[in-house]
Amino acid sequence: MEEIQKLHGLPDLTLDGGNLLFKQERLAPGLLMQAKITAEGIVESYNLMGYDAVAVGRNDLAAGLGFLQDQAAASKFTWLSANLVSKSNGEPLFSPSLIRKVGDISVGIIGLTDIKEAQRFQEENAVLLPWKSVLPKLVADLTPKCDLLILLSNNEPKQNEEIATSFTDIHIIIQSTPSARNIVPQLKNNSLMAKTGKQGKYLGWMLVNWQKSKTWGHTGAVKELALKKQELDGIIGRIGRLERREKKEDLEANASYQKLVVTREQLLSEIIFLENELYDLKESGQIPSTFENNFITLDINLPDQPEVEKIVNLTKKRVNQVGRSQAKVAGRTVSGSLLPLEKLIFTGWQACAECHKDQTEFWQKTDHAEAYQSLVEQDQQFNLDCLPCHVTAEYKDIKISGDDTVFLSLPAPLLQVGCEVCHGPGKDHVASQKPTAIYRRPHITICLRCHTTERDEMFNYTNDIEKIACPASLPREE
Ligand code: HEC
Ligand code: HEC
Ligand code: HEC
Ligand code: HEC
């Protein structure tokens, strides 16, 4: 953000469409303690990064209204929600909108919240109003005071489209729907609908050239002018080459040269005409506004800003501390827990080693065998954000049981990316020794559970599987 700022030196606004603090609308109770610490770290980082405003998204309320209100009090930026109001007096619980002067432009910003099960906030004295009952008045109030109006919307894309069609005076809609994709801004009515991929994996930035017309688009004249100028450059070049090559007398008799000269004069007068036309349009406030959009991948390898990095490291340390005490309660000691293996679907690598010596020795040399150790080295072995990818556990099964703290109570034989991560649960196979009771070659979807784009951008199944493929005990049949 600092670099973009340096590059352009233009006044700016830093906004977020919401769903900032938590990954889901509802969190399993076991996750809550660690997730709250992460949320506090996010607020601190956003304060440092100088954010202007964030919409209250449904995920931001995952730890309750009270928690978010505490975070709002600690935020140097404004949390916006025009439609989350007090049940008893109808007053908004967060600021509905905000006006910021950006250079010489007044920008109005509105926030909209969307909650699937809003009734669960009733006991916290909150109700969610539909956008139709709050936006018309708010937009009418803001329009005379603002040159540009931005909506930070947590609503579904369909709802946002309806908003765009209903209000010509909302110029940009920044969406926070829970899809991972970046969406290049699309014009609907007079609103640019923009969206950056979820969970802070991208930074979207938009360079806006806002004009008095308050409308988006290209004028034909702007495009035509650029084309004519390009054409003129070409003609001037060709004329120059001919003039260097031929004598003046010869040129007089050269028909194509004469034609080029005529074209040059024609283009020049057309360009002057278009430039005058554009000048008039600008003077009368009819030039459409334009924008340029970019998405920047916030790759895990991208170095953190030093001050933000301090906050991130401190937050991770606190998360691990809390995890450590949770694990103590769950009965896990330094090297594993009391959770009996019989209760789990996995049996652990030692059980396989007996019959598959070569493969076990091979696996022990791969990084997978050290995956948990890598967390220990970073003092992150109790962080529920890391564990699922660094141990032997079928994330989905644990999700179904609804309690992620299982990751905090895994016994030692599962504290690596072990055999069964790739070959599937092996209890039946150990008992029967039947090849049919186990998978042989892990499918790409297994790898991608952990080798996600954010964690391993370079992952290439065809090449990478060869690096970790266990040796055949017998020559393989093709
Ligand atoms: C008691 C001995 C024994 C144990 C323990 C054992 N296996 Fe096997 N495994 C076998 C035998 C026997 C075969 C079949 C060899 C054959 O017929 O090709 C086999 C085959 C396999 C195959 C190849 C399957 C195929 O389709 O070709 C894989 C993969 C495998 N085992 C993984 C494991 C894993 C993972 C574990 C631990 C969870 C494990 N085995 C535990 C004996 C064992
Ligand atoms: C979505 C799965 C996933 C999550 C979540 C995850 N990791 Fe990893 N991690 C990986 C994968 C995959 C690799 C190997 C990447 C590679 O080979 O380039 C890796 C590698 C590592 C490494 C060793 C490689 C290196 O960077 O030097 C460390 C250390 C590590 N992760 C720590 C963590 C910590 C700490 C967390 C939690 C804050 C975490 N990981 C969360 C998947 C994950
Ligand atoms: C990261 C994934 C991964 C892990 C972890 C892993 N394997 Fe494998 N394993 C493979 C792949 C890939 C192959 C090759 C399959 C093929 O193409 O035939 C393989 C093949 C095998 C085979 C079949 C060998 C043959 O005769 O063809 C056995 C047995 C086996 N692994 C056992 C193990 C055991 C035991 C462990 C743990 C100590 C283990 N694997 C860990 C990916 C893995
Ligand atoms: C449960 C999560 C998980 C799954 C599933 C997984 N990996 Fe990994 N993988 C990791 C982690 C974590 C590391 C980094 C370990 C470390 O350095 O601490 C890693 C490292 C690697 C490496 C580099 C290490 C080396 O020894 O060269 C390769 C290659 C790799 N994985 C390939 C695969 C392939 C191919 C698959 C699918 C067959 C797969 N992985 C499945 C988590 C996983």
Side-chain angles (χ1 to χ4, degrees):
M1 282 152 69
E2 278 170 1
E3 275 169 29
I4 295 166
Q5 187 56 38
K6 251 187 252 157
L7 190 69
H8 292 277
L10 294 168
D12 64 0
L13 265 182
T14 313
L15 305 171
D16 193 301
N19 290 350
L20 179 65
L21 301 185
F22 303 103
K23 289 178 187 165
Q24 290 130 358
E25 186 169 350
R26 288 267 210 164
L27 292 173
L31 279 178
L32 205 56
M33 273 207 281
Q34 295 197 8
K36 277 180 170 179
I37 293 171
T38 305
E40 287 165 6
I42 293 173
V43 166
E44 257 186 89
S45 315
Y46 267 49
N47 282 344
L48 206 67
M49 290 190 279
Y51 266 75
D52 291 283
V54 174
V56 174
R58 63 183 75 146
N59 295 0
D60 298 315
L61 290 154
L65 183 62
F67 179 79
L68 185 59
Q69 281 174 320
D70 289 348
Q71 293 316 301
S75 300
K76 291 183 182 155
F77 51 90
T78 312
W79 285 88
L80 294 173
S81 176
N83 60 333
L84 193 62
V85 303
S86 153
K87 199 173 112 192
S88 46
N89 62 12
E91 288 295 316
L93 293 164
F94 298 88
S95 311
S97 67
L98 164 84
I99 297 179
R100 273 284 149 93
K101 198 87 180 161
V102 183
D104 49 13
I105 291 177
S106 287
V107 182
I109 309 154
I110 300 174
L112 268 189
T113 307
D114 188 22
I115 309 170
K116 286 211 191 90
E117 308 159 45
Q119 65 279 11
R120 76 190 156 99
F121 291 100
Q122 296 256 339
E123 45 197 85
E124 294 193 81
N125 190 28
V127 280
L128 190 77
L129 303 176
W131 62 264
K132 280 180 184 160
S133 71
V134 293
L135 272 191
K137 183 172 178 326
L138 198 53
V139 172
D141 283 352
L142 286 170
T143 298
K145 299 181 205 151
C146 304
D147 303 302
L148 174 70
L149 199 52
I150 301 177
L151 173 68
L152 306 178
S153 174
N154 187 226
N155 279 75
E156 296 295 329
K158 261 208 146 74
Q159 299 280 314
N160 292 334
E161 281 185 26
E162 208 181 310
I163 293 172
T165 341
S166 318
F167 300 94
T168 308
D169 290 320
I170 295 179
H171 308 110
I172 299 177
I173 301 181
I174 296 176
Q175 310 184 81
S176 58
T177 45
S179 90
R181 258 185 340 122
N182 288 327
I183 297 173
V184 176
Q186 281 159 7
L187 191 63
K188 182 98 194 170
N189 190 14
N190 194 32
S191 301
L192 267 188
M193 317 256 302
K195 158 146 181 47
T196 307
K198 66 171 180 180
Q199 290 176 16
K201 280 157 191 152
Y202 299 90
L203 178 72
W205 70 275
M206 216 191 267
L207 193 63
V208 172
N209 186 350
W210 195 240
Q211 301 282 349
K212 284 191 197 131
S213 66
K214 296 191 182 184
T215 55
W216 294 107
H218 291 283
T219 41
V222 172
K223 261 190 186 163
E224 213 184 325
L225 185 64
L227 284 175
K228 298 256 182 232
K229 282 185 168 168
Q230 212 178 342
E231 204 183 330
L232 181 66
D233 281 348
I235 303 269
I236 289 173
R238 283 165 67 192
I239 289 177
R241 278 194 295 279
L242 282 172
E243 285 177 346
R244 281 193 297 277
R245 237 177 19 221
E246 293 188 30
K247 285 202 213 93
K248 221 175 169 184
E249 311 78 275
D250 297 342
L251 283 174
E252 307 233 329
N254 182 331
S256 61
Y257 174 78
Q258 294 303 335
K259 210 172 148 193
L260 283 173
V261 172
V262 172
T263 315
R264 181 182 61 186
E265 297 314 310
Q266 248 170 18
L267 278 172
L268 272 171
S269 66
E270 281 168 18
I271 285 169
I272 290 165
F273 178 82
L274 284 171
E275 276 177 342
N276 283 335
E277 194 178 70
L278 278 175
Y279 182 81
D280 290 345
L281 280 175
K282 192 168 182 144
E283 284 297 288
S284 62
Q286 289 175 42
I287 290 240
S289 307
T290 52
F291 73 95
E292 207 184 280
N293 185 75
N294 293 279
F295 293 114
I296 297 169
T297 315
L298 299 179
D299 192 76
I300 205 146
N301 298 318
L302 203 68
D304 280 314
Q305 197 264 1
E307 294 298 309
V308 174
E309 191 174 24
K310 271 191 213 152
I311 296 173
V312 172
N313 288 339
L314 199 67
T315 302
K316 278 162 90 173
K317 218 168 137 183
R318 286 181 62 206
V319 166
N320 206 54
Q321 270 163 6
V322 166
R324 194 187 288 271
S325 46
Q326 283 177 290
K328 223 180 201 163
V329 175
R332 182 165 125 205
T333 59
V334 185
S335 54
S337 82
L338 310 173
L339 196 72
L341 270 174
E342 304 81 67
K343 278 198 156 187
L344 295 160
I345 55 170
F346 296 108
T347 173
W349 66 275
Q350 283 96 337
C352 321
E354 268 180 53
C355 303
H356 299 295
K357 192 165 165 286
D358 291 355
Q359 290 81 10
T360 305
E361 280 174 4
F362 171 81
W363 167 79
Q364 281 173 321
K365 288 194 210 100
T366 69
D367 291 351
H368 284 137
E370 295 295 323
Y372 178 75
Q373 203 50 40
S374 292
L375 294 185
V376 174
E377 277 159 22
Q378 301 212 336
D379 208 17
Q380 288 293 292
Q381 70 274 40
F382 299 105
N383 187 338
L384 288 168
D385 258 346
C386 316
L387 280 164
C389 295
H390 284 257
V391 297
T392 306
E394 178 61 70
Y395 195 44
K396 259 193 296 192
D397 290 349
I398 285 166
K399 274 281 176 216
I400 290 163
S401 82
D403 185 8
D404 289 64
T405 48
V406 171
F407 285 111
L408 292 173
S409 45
L410 293 177
L414 301 185
L415 295 178
Q416 331 74 17
V417 175
C419 325
E420 293 162 290
V421 166
C422 290
H423 295 296
K427 276 185 186 167
D428 289 350
H429 169 72
V430 169
S432 69
Q433 301 177 32
K434 284 194 189 127
T436 44
I438 199 118
Y439 304 110
R440 180 174 175 138
R441 193 174 178 84
H443 190 259
I444 182 170
T445 49
I446 289 180
C447 319
L448 291 181
R449 254 182 51 213
C450 306
H451 290 267
T452 54
T453 331
E454 304 85 52
R455 293 283 167 185
D456 187 5
E457 204 184 4
M458 307 295 280
F459 184 74
N460 175 311
Y461 180 71
T462 318
N463 294 340
D464 285 343
I465 196 159
E466 295 312 325
K467 296 186 197 150
I468 51 82
C470 309
S473 26
L474 298 165
R476 266 184 217 155
E477 292 165 37
E478 287 305 324

